[in-house]
Amino acid sequence: MRTIEEQAFLWLVVLTTLAFAVIVWPYFGAVLWGVVAAIIVMPLHRWLVRVTRGREGLSAILSVLIVILLGVIPLMVVAASLVAEATGLYERIQSGRYDGVGEYLRNIEQALPAWAQSALERFGLTSFDEVRDRLSSLFAQALQIVASRAVTIGQSTFGFVISLAIMLYLLFFLLRDGERLVPRIADAIPLRKDDRDAILEKFVVVVRATVKGSIVIALLQGLLGGLIFWMLGIEAPVLWGVLMALLSLLPAVGAAIVWLPAAIYLLVTGSIWQGVVLITFGVLVIGLVDNLLRPKLVGKSTRMPDYVVLISTLGGIAVFGLNGFVIGPTIAALFIAVWDIFTRSRASFNPTGA
């Protein structure tokens, strides 16, 4: 039985930990992405340490600079282009100069053969005007959200810069001191060594798999989708490319929900070769990126069932916002790992199953 002093100290540990969490919480996203970036960049950092003959500080600085050049700057450029396109498109819709959804449905309606129109009439599905108005309204509302976010981002630029600085600052120290910090953190976890090592290993593997296997592939699919939209002269290619990247993160959804309707629109409006090119590119390039790259970037041993990834990703987004893309699947993988360890532990304590 614990003494009063031991119980008091445990309560002190819990309370100080909660107090520290409250203090850090405003910059939770910066801390999270700093840790994620450190896990992803650590192999590069170790290689730079060997190249620089053991200079941890210099290697950490070089690693941070590489993250800025290859990650931060391109994302900021894309974000600025996205805000400009979404804001301009929303303003044109509000002024009545653009009705993309309505025009899309009108062209579909006019291109339908007589037998298809008869079938729609038989089922009472001829009210295209109502559907067009509803979809146009939803499209305008979605763009309004993006446009309002643009204003919010502009007003909170200082907060964003602070968060970015904290992330990069934390990344430097995690890279420089990571080899010494990880054992100290591991020793503080009150679990058996085998269980603790298994959970930490699973955490690192899942974070790398989530970023490399999901986010990188999604970014690549969004880039390819936006590029083919731009080459075919489709309006707002950055906006559609970002949307394809986001949808690519969700299993059973994918980027096809964006490029396939666009291809159909091109075909029914007489742009035959553009529609054929978009379908061919979507199937042979965008669609195969996941199948070809995911096994190499992730590996079969780290993959979870698609339904678990879908539910955990959507749940993570609902609870944590954009950070949920990483947090949701990571929690799901740790949940599976912890229960697997628990099941094995029970089996070892009760080998007969009685």
Side-chain angles (χ1 to χ4, degrees):
M1 185 169 179
R2 292 190 178 95
T3 64
I4 294 178
E5 289 80 3
E6 290 175 335
Q7 294 181 9
F9 183 74
L10 286 176
W11 276 109
L12 180 62
V13 170
V14 172
L15 292 176
T16 53
T17 302
L18 291 175
F20 180 74
V22 170
I23 294 173
V24 175
W25 184 255
Y27 297 101
F28 169 76
V31 174
L32 171 68
W33 287 104
V35 174
V36 170
I39 293 174
I40 300 302
V41 179
M42 185 59 73
L44 171 63
H45 171 69
R46 289 170 179 166
W47 178 78
L48 289 173
V49 170
R50 293 194 297 270
V51 171
T52 58
R53 298 180 181 180
R55 298 178 181 177
E56 294 276 358
L58 177 60
S59 301
I61 292 175
L62 294 175
S63 299
V64 172
L65 290 176
I66 291 174
V67 169
I68 294 173
L69 292 175
L70 300 183
V72 175
I73 293 178
L75 287 177
M76 292 180 68
V77 172
V78 171
S81 301
L82 171 64
V83 168
E85 282 191 359
T87 304
L89 193 58
Y90 174 71
E91 290 176 351
R92 290 199 296 276
I93 291 176
Q94 289 294 92
S95 62
R97 290 177 292 159
Y98 179 80
D99 183 21
V101 177
E103 183 181 355
Y104 178 85
L105 289 177
R106 279 194 297 271
N107 290 325
I108 292 290
E109 181 181 6
Q110 294 171 2
L112 287 176
W115 63 266
Q117 293 182 3
S118 299
L120 291 175
E121 291 176 358
R122 193 176 304 115
F123 289 101
L125 300 176
T126 57
S127 181
F128 275 89
D129 291 336
E130 182 180 349
V131 175
R132 182 170 59 246
D133 293 341
R134 179 66 60 86
L135 290 179
S136 297
S137 177
L138 291 176
F139 185 61
Q141 290 175 9
L143 286 176
Q144 184 179 16
I145 293 174
V146 176
S148 63
R149 291 289 183 184
V151 177
T152 303
I153 292 172
Q155 293 174 345
S156 60
T157 302
F158 180 74
F160 172 78
V161 171
I162 293 296
S163 297
L164 180 61
I166 291 175
M167 187 204 81
L168 296 175
Y169 186 72
L170 179 62
L171 173 61
F172 168 78
F173 284 103
L174 289 176
L175 292 174
R176 193 191 69 175
D177 304 329
E179 298 295 338
R180 294 182 292 274
L181 285 175
V182 172
R184 294 183 62 182
I185 295 173
D187 291 339
I189 299 176
L191 295 173
R192 290 186 302 179
K193 185 178 184 303
D194 293 341
D195 296 343
R196 179 193 67 202
D197 293 344
I199 292 175
L200 289 176
E201 180 182 359
K202 188 68 174 179
F203 173 77
V204 173
V205 168
V206 169
V207 169
R208 285 180 178 168
T210 300
V211 175
K212 289 164 52 178
S214 297
I215 296 181
V216 170
I217 291 175
L219 291 175
L220 182 58
Q221 289 184 321
L223 174 63
L224 293 171
L227 180 63
I228 192 64
F229 272 42
W230 173 75
M231 293 176 65
L232 294 176
I234 299 175
E235 191 168 4
V238 176
L239 175 63
W240 298 121
V242 171
L243 186 59
M244 279 186 272
L246 293 176
L247 293 174
S248 297
L249 291 167
L250 303 178
V253 179
I257 200 173
V258 175
W259 64 258
L260 185 57
I264 295 174
Y265 172 77
L266 292 173
L267 291 174
V268 300
T269 54
S271 303
I272 304 298
W273 74 265
Q274 291 94 332
V276 172
V277 168
L278 183 54
I279 291 177
T280 305
F281 189 87
V283 173
L284 298 181
V285 180
I286 300 176
L288 290 181
V289 164
D290 184 85
N291 295 330
L292 294 178
L293 293 184
R294 190 177 296 275
K296 296 181 180 180
L297 294 177
V298 180
K300 296 181 180 179
S301 61
T302 59
R303 294 198 63 177
M304 292 184 293
D306 285 345
Y307 61 88
V308 175
V309 177
L310 177 62
I311 295 173
S312 60
T313 301
L314 292 176
I317 296 170
V319 176
F320 299 101
L322 184 61
N323 299 326
F325 282 120
V326 174
I327 298 176
T330 301
I331 292 177
L334 292 179
F335 170 81
I336 295 174
V338 168
W339 275 96
D340 184 55
I341 292 171
F342 177 71
T343 303
R344 292 201 307 267
S345 299
R346 288 192 62 189
S348 64
F349 282 118
N350 188 13
T352 62

